[in-house]
């Protein structure tokens, strides 16, 4: 009796996956790396691989009191990954493991792990490389003031499988309650400005630009504008609920953001609730049109 062949993705060795994940996510704890590598190696095997990468000066780590070690690539490690075909065209970045920036990066990675683990349970398609941190786009809307760049904490590429298969994208903003609620809500204005920025006029088109010069700026990167997801943590339930309410108020009160919310799904959730229930669970509050919780895919 002949056994039917099942197409399964060929996974690179754990060492290669660790280098990829550290390059892509910039910083991660040992447990986060354990969750990202597939199939998940024995914890001691993972630690041995990390120690070898550190001995070869490809990775570095910082031990924090009462916390797990945080890992990142060295400059040498980044150059090694950039030599691989799948990373051709990418650029090295300045990575640091100290201070508030490192804490934010690790929290962004924590959010990524929540989505990745949920995708595995659902048998959806989402790998660690489908989460891209610090995605930047210029905001060219002619405004005299305001932000000149939109820098999303991450861009998520996610394929929902099954009969309702869909290719989904989302900008993800991770809020640790370290900035004012006003500054958090103002991020919606920057997204709205990027969405509303007009196409360049034919007179302003670069020579040889072709018909593509008439596209609005965001369409150069996305067939559909990604939904925007705010993930909140770092404060008590009442404070986080108020920050979500402030985001909803911005949608109601700012005309440009209201127009944006009518065209693009916007939602917010608490990171601890995502981890407890699953990223696709009904833990997301829409920022417009009602207060019923739903999945981020249904916003």
């Amino acid at each position: 009796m002949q056994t039917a062949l099942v197409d399964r993705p060929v996974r690179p060795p754990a060492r290669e996956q660790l280098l990829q994940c550290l390059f892509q996510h910039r910083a991660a704890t040992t447990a986060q790396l354990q969750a990202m590598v597939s199939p998940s190696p024995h914890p001691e095997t993972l630690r041995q691989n990390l120690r070898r990468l550190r001995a070869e000066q490809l990775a570095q780590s910082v031990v924090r009191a009462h916390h797990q070690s945080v890992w990142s690539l060295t400059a040498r490690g980044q150059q090694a990954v950039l030599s691989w075909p799948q990373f051709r065209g990418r650029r090295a970045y300045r990575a640091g493991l100290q201070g508030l920036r490192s804490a934010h990066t690790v929290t962004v990675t924590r959010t990524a792990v929540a989505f990745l683990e949920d995708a595995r349970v659902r048998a959806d398609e989402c790998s660690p490389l489908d989460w891209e941190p610090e995605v930047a786009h210029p905001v060219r809307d002619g405004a005299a003031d305001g932000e000149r760049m939109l820098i999303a904490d991450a861009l998520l590429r996610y394929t929902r499988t099954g009969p309702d298969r869909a290719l989904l994208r989302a900008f993800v903003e991770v809020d640790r309650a370290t900035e004012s609620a006003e500054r958090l809500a103002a991020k919606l204005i920057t997204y709205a400005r990027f969405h509303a920025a007009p196409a360049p006029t034919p007179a302003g088109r670069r020579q040889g630009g072709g018909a593509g010069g008439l596209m609005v700026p965001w369409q150069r990167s996305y067939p559909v504008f990604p939904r925007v997801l705010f993930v909140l943590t770092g404060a008590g339930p009442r404070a986080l609920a108020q920050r979500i309410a402030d985001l909803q108020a911005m949608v109601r009160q700012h005309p440009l953001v209201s127009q944006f919310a009518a065209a693009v799904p916007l939602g917010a959730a608490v990171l601890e609730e995502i981890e407890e229930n699953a990223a696709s669970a009904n833990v997301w509050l829409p920022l417009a049109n009602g207060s019923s919780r739903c999945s981020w895919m249904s916003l």
Side-chain angles (χ1 to χ4, degrees):
M1 180 177 178
Q2 187 175 5
T3 303
L5 295 178
V6 178
D7 290 334
R8 294 179 179 175
V10 177
R11 305 286 186 184
R15 171 191 169 89
E16 185 175 330
Q17 289 188 58
L18 286 170
L19 289 169
Q20 289 180 348
C21 290
L22 287 172
F23 181 89
Q24 187 78 2
H25 295 266
R26 307 197 176 189
T29 67
T30 307
Q32 289 169 348
L33 291 168
Q34 180 83 43
M36 284 191 280
V37 173
S38 180
S40 183
H42 187 279
E44 183 55 33
T45 302
L46 181 87
R47 288 191 290 267
Q48 288 175 358
N49 274 285
L50 288 170
R51 288 194 290 266
R52 290 192 191 103
L53 292 177
R54 183 171 55 196
E56 296 168 19
Q57 300 181 357
L58 298 174
Q60 57 190 339
S61 65
V62 167
V63 178
R64 305 171 297 165
H66 310 296
H67 291 82
Q68 291 192 8
S69 298
V70 176
W71 294 85
S72 73
L73 292 186
T74 62
R76 180 177 177 180
Q78 289 187 43
Q79 291 303 319
V81 174
L82 287 170
S83 68
W84 299 346
Q86 64 268 41
F87 289 92
R88 193 161 294 148
R90 300 281 294 274
R91 294 182 178 180
Y93 52 83
R94 186 167 61 183
L97 290 176
Q98 302 291 344
L100 294 176
R101 189 63 196 164
S102 172
H104 181 76
T105 302
V106 170
T107 306
V108 173
T109 305
R110 178 182 163 194
T111 306
V113 168
F115 279 90
L116 292 169
E117 291 183 330
D118 186 44
R120 287 175 185 162
V121 172
R122 293 171 49 87
D124 287 340
E125 297 173 14
C126 184
S127 78
L129 300 187
D130 291 322
W131 180 277
E132 184 178 352
E134 296 190 12
V135 175
H137 294 289
V139 179
R140 298 183 178 131
D141 58 351
D145 53 8
E147 299 290 340
R148 292 289 181 268
M149 291 289 292
L150 167 66
I151 304 177
D153 281 333
L155 172 68
L156 169 66
R157 296 179 176 89
Y158 190 103
T159 300
R160 186 175 60 200
T161 60
D164 57 345
R165 183 179 177 88
L167 305 180
L168 304 174
R169 290 181 178 84
F171 289 122
V172 182
E173 291 290 339
V174 178
D175 172 55
R176 298 171 47 245
T178 56
E179 61 183 2
S180 70
E182 182 180 358
R183 284 184 62 85
L184 174 66
K187 293 181 179 181
L188 282 168
I189 301 176
T190 306
Y191 277 103
R193 289 174 55 212
F194 177 52
H195 179 262
T201 62
R205 190 191 311 161
R206 292 182 180 179
Q207 188 173 7
L214 297 177
M215 301 174 69
V216 297
W218 66 263
Q219 288 178 326
R220 295 176 178 272
S221 302
Y222 310 104
V224 176
F225 197 93
R227 63 197 65 206
V228 182
L229 306 177
F230 287 83
V231 177
L232 292 82
T233 188
R238 182 176 298 180
L240 295 181
Q242 184 58 61
R243 291 173 82 83
I244 293 175
D246 292 337
L247 289 167
Q248 294 171 324
M250 178 64 77
V251 171
R252 292 193 305 271
Q253 297 170 5
H254 195 287
L256 186 60
V257 177
S258 295
Q259 295 174 21
F260 176 55
V264 177
L266 312 175
V270 173
L271 179 53
E272 286 76 12
E273 293 184 4
I274 292 173
E275 292 174 325
E276 181 179 353
N277 297 280
S280 61
N282 294 335
V283 296
W284 296 88
L285 278 168
L287 300 186
N289 302 325
S291 58
S292 297
R293 293 177 176 239
C294 62
S295 170
W296 70 271
M297 303 180 197
S298 304
L299 289 167

